[in-house]
Amino acid sequence: MFRAFKTSILILSLLAPLAAQAEADVKNGEKIYKKCYFCHTLDHPTNRMGPHLMDLQGRKAGTIVGFRYSEAMKQAGENGLIWDDATLKEFLTSPKTMMPGTSMRFWGLWESQIDDLLAYIKSKSEVAPSE
């Protein structure tokens, strides 16, 4: 019985670093966001070259009032594209592949970078407006 306990502890100690790596890194996401900052705001509803990213999760694609979207993005929204982790990962991996005709001028990110970026965006969305 003691041997089984020691084996379990050993296995858990070996798997713990892998579990920690699987979690998104908000601090790294903040660094990655610097690539997005020039075109997208995150802390106020102001559009730049791209639409603001406030309340991005659950938003229908192409629906920020006052932003001039590509026909491809407007069509995606009309067809029911809702931004969630899965759709954002697909888009941010290669915007032009997922949505030919998009006006987003960005080549894409690695999946681990996207996880970190989404964690950062979510952390900013959870901050109360008075802060």
Side-chain angles (χ1 to χ4, degrees):
M1 176 129 155
F2 184 69
R3 183 176 180 172
F5 177 74
K6 283 175 43 176
T7 303
S8 297
I9 295 297
L10 177 62
I11 291 170
L12 288 175
S13 68
L14 293 173
L15 293 178
L18 296 176
Q21 288 175 355
E23 293 178 21
D25 182 346
V26 174
K27 288 287 186 193
N28 191 45
E30 183 175 13
K31 292 175 189 171
I32 294 165
Y33 174 71
K34 290 178 183 179
K35 296 177 183 181
C36 312
Y37 174 78
F38 296 102
C39 297
H40 300 278
T41 61
L42 188 55
D43 55 357
H44 47 87
T46 303
N47 298 320
R48 292 183 178 164
M49 292 210 34
H52 70 79
L53 302 179
M54 293 180 67
D55 302 319
L56 179 61
Q57 292 278 337
R59 181 195 306 164
K60 184 185 253 187
T63 58
I64 295 293
V65 175
F67 185 76
R68 192 171 147 218
Y69 287 99
S70 65
E71 286 302 315
M73 188 64 74
K74 288 190 275 190
Q75 188 65 46
E78 290 170 10
N79 291 338
L81 177 66
I82 304 293
W83 295 122
D84 60 18
D85 284 352
T87 56
L88 286 166
K89 281 182 183 183
E90 183 180 357
F91 185 70
L92 293 173
T93 297
S94 179
K96 301 266 186 212
T97 300
M98 178 191 177
M99 193 177 298
T102 184
S103 59
M104 185 162 162
R105 304 215 184 314
F106 185 71
W107 59 91
L109 297 169
W110 297 105
E111 187 173 345
S112 62
Q113 292 175 311
I114 294 168
D115 291 339
D116 294 349
L117 176 63
L118 294 180
Y120 175 68
I121 291 172
K122 287 176 188 177
S123 76
K124 295 301 282 184
S125 295
E126 294 167 2
V127 175
S130 61
E131 292 183 78

